[in-house]
Amino acid sequence: VDQNPFFCPDVEMVPVWEEYLDGIRKAGSSIGAVVEVVAEGVPAGIGAPIYAKLDQDIASSLMSINAVKGVEIGEGFASAELSGEENADQMRMGNDGKPIFLSNHAGGILGGISTGQPVVARFAVKPTSSILTPRKTVDIEGRDTEIFTKGRHDPCVGLRATPICEAMMAIVCARSDQEMFHQLVLRWQARLTEMCHRLTGNLHDAEDAVQEAFSRAFTARDQFRGGSKFTTWMWRIAVNSAHDVRRRQARSYQTDALPGELADHRGSPN
């Protein structure tokens, strides 16, 4: 895809598109385009069932690109022609003991949440309005007139939109991933802090222990993705961090008390 100026996955179509667009350019006209962007490696669990749906955020971001007039996820509008049996993404257990999908009509998103499959989106780009052919319009005084554009001319702005949509998709997926983790942090922070406070006896130390737990969890969050394993793991890290704080406190106390203890020992009778 990155080896030709049209971002075309079919190398045989490159000369065809080149000749076609050159003809559009020479005619002083323009043409629209449909651009598909695929995000691979998106972990399952990103998004929300309402208000923060992943497909909602993707559609909003892609629609914000200039000249974009329509967005679809997965099969999109083509799904209107499919039956329920044809459109359903069936599942089976894989050889690694994890469930796998047998198709991806949903485009990697179900119920607003990523499935772990490639996230597929497409958008339609309109033909640019800057063409040489005069078009009827009305001027500021309300009089009928004609308008045409001279100078720089893009026969198809879909080419310019391709790297933009890739960046948009990456931003949305990364932001949604961090927002999901942030919600987990807020959900568990108060409970973990209370538990660590009981273990350490000091609120400041408890907050430090929880912060360390979340820092380590953020680094390894892809292993758990918010399930029950994540919850268990977070509790274990927080408890271990709290115990580490207590051990550091104990060592500090013993070190501070050591000179006095030795002096007392040396001055005491045998």
Side-chain angles (χ1 to χ4, degrees), residues 5-7 31-37 61-70 121-126 152 154 156-169:
F6 303 102
F7 305 99
I31 196 68
V34 174
V35 180
E36 180 177 275
V37 56
S61 297
L62 294 182
M63 280 297 299
S64 71
I65 301 174
N66 293 343
V68 172
K69 304 302 289 185
R122 281 176 296 277
F123 61 88
V125 179
K126 72 172 184 175
R152 175 179 163 275
D154 286 313
C156 180
V157 293
L159 303 180
R160 297 182 181 274
T162 301
I164 299 174
C165 78
E166 290 179 343
M168 281 291 194
M169 177 72 88

Side-chain angles (χ1 to χ4, degrees), residues 23 32 54 70 72 84 87-88 91 93 97 118 125 130-131 140 142 145-147 153 169 185 197 208 223 231 251 268:
L54 181 58
E72 62 180 10
N87 189 64
M91 303 175 69
M93 292 302 296
V125 179
S130 55
I131 57 177
I140 195 171
T145 185
E146 291 185 338
I147 186 173
H153 176 67
M169 177 72 88
V185 168
H197 189 190
D208 287 345
Q223 302 176 26
T231 302
R251 285 196 298 268
S268 61

Side-chain angles (χ1 to χ4, degrees), residues 12 29 33 80 107 137 153 174 179 243 250:
E12 295 182 358
S29 186
T137 188
H153 176 67
E179 287 178 352
H243 284 310

Side-chain angles (χ1 to χ4, degrees), residues 231-248:
T231 302
T232 304
W233 193 64
M234 281 297 302
W235 280 101
R236 186 178 299 122
I237 290 179
V239 170
N240 289 340
S241 298
H243 284 310
D244 287 342
V245 169
R246 294 187 66 185
R247 282 192 290 269
R248 287 195 295 267

Side-chain angles (χ1 to χ4, degrees), residues 78-197:
S79 62
E81 301 177 0
L82 301 178
S83 66
E85 292 81 2
E86 294 170 327
N87 189 64
D89 292 322
Q90 301 182 79
M91 303 175 69
R92 281 289 183 266
M93 292 302 296
N95 296 330
D96 58 356
K98 297 180 180 180
I100 59 173
F101 287 92
L102 305 183
S103 59
N104 191 20
H105 299 295
I109 304 173
L110 285 170
I113 301 174
S114 61
T115 64
Q117 294 180 283
V119 175
V120 183
R122 281 176 296 277
F123 61 88
V125 179
K126 72 172 184 175
T128 177
S129 57
S130 55
I131 57 177
L132 297 180
T133 305
R135 299 284 87 190
K136 296 176 182 178
T137 188
V138 177
D139 65 18
I140 195 171
E141 302 296 334
R143 295 171 298 195
D144 293 342
T145 185
E146 291 185 338
I147 186 173
F148 64 96
T149 304
K150 290 185 177 181
R152 175 179 163 275
H153 176 67
D154 286 313
C156 180
V157 293
L159 303 180
R160 297 182 181 274
T162 301
I164 299 174
C165 78
E166 290 179 343
M168 281 291 194
M169 177 72 88
I171 290 171
V172 170
C173 291
R175 184 183 63 196
S176 298
D177 187 25
Q178 291 206 356
E179 287 178 352
M180 184 195 72
F181 184 79
H182 180 64
Q183 292 300 319
L184 285 172
V185 168
L186 294 178
R187 186 183 309 166
W188 288 102
Q189 189 170 22
R191 297 178 62 184
L192 290 174
T193 301
E194 180 183 357
M195 178 198 68
C196 292
H197 189 190

